[in-house]
Amino acid sequence: QVQLVESGGGLVQPGGSLKLSCAASGFIFSNYVMTWYRQAPGKERELVAAITTAGGRINYIESLKGRFTVSRDNAKNTVYLQMNSLKPEDTAVYYCNAYHPSMPHNKYWGQGTQVTVSS
């Protein structure tokens, strides 16, 4: 069955970096758009970044441009989110998500990984 397993979260000081990974299985990874969402305490889940099947990157939050980079390794069935210059407001649970371009409303979700930015 489809599985998305995030890892790489943790506690980091402001200004630090983390690299999140999301390992996928159960579907043809290279055919799926991969996205990262996050949900901060008391807030709605928001779309952070996406990477298309062709490797095109889209950042959806203006304040994250230049700090967060999404990438994928189709040979490893893994999508990454490199997060630099982290700020306390980046604290959230980060989720990866997969969908086939022909069925954008049929999304698969991982369980999430906690990122806490604090001194």
Side-chain angles (χ1 to χ4, degrees), residues 2 4 8 16 27 31 38-39 53 55 58 62 68 72-73 79-80 84-85 87 107 111-112 115:
V2 171
L4 296 173
F27 61 96
N31 289 350
R38 69 182 184 182
Q39 188 166 20
T53 56
I58 308 169
E62 188 66 31
F68 286 22
R72 66 191 297 161
D73 185 337
V79 62
Y80 304 98
N84 299 327
S85 302
K87 304 176 181 180
K107 292 179 166 60
Q111 84 289 349
V115 171

Side-chain angles (χ1 to χ4, degrees), residues 25-44:
S25 61
F27 61 96
I28 302 175
F29 181 78
S30 60
N31 289 350
Y32 279 66
V33 177
M34 301 300 298
T35 65
W36 286 98
Y37 283 74
R38 69 182 184 182
Q39 188 166 20
K43 295 188 177 181
E44 293 190 353

Side-chain angles (χ1 to χ4, degrees), residues 7-117:
S7 61
L11 174 63
V12 63
Q13 292 187 342
S17 297
L18 282 176
K19 187 174 184 177
L20 306 183
S21 300
C22 174
S25 61
F27 61 96
I28 302 175
F29 181 78
S30 60
N31 289 350
Y32 279 66
V33 177
M34 301 300 298
T35 65
W36 286 98
Y37 283 74
R38 69 182 184 182
Q39 188 166 20
K43 295 188 177 181
E44 293 190 353
R45 193 172 295 190
E46 60 181 353
L47 178 58
V48 173
I51 186 163
T52 68
T53 56
R57 298 184 174 98
I58 308 169
N59 283 358
Y60 289 91
I61 302 176
E62 188 66 31
S63 64
L64 301 184
K65 292 179 181 179
R67 297 196 297 123
F68 286 22
T69 303
V70 61
S71 62
R72 66 191 297 161
D73 185 337
N74 289 341
K76 295 183 178 179
N77 288 358
T78 301
V79 62
Y80 304 98
L81 186 66
Q82 177 69 47
M83 306 186 296
N84 299 327
S85 302
L86 283 162
K87 304 176 181 180
E89 51 264 41
D90 295 320
T91 295
V93 179
Y94 285 73
Y95 299 89
C96 75
N97 165 292
Y99 67 89
H100 193 279
S102 66
M103 296 183 290
H105 300 296
N106 187 20
K107 292 179 166 60
Y108 301 116
W109 291 92
Q111 84 289 349
T113 186
Q114 176 71 48
V115 171
T116 302
V117 184

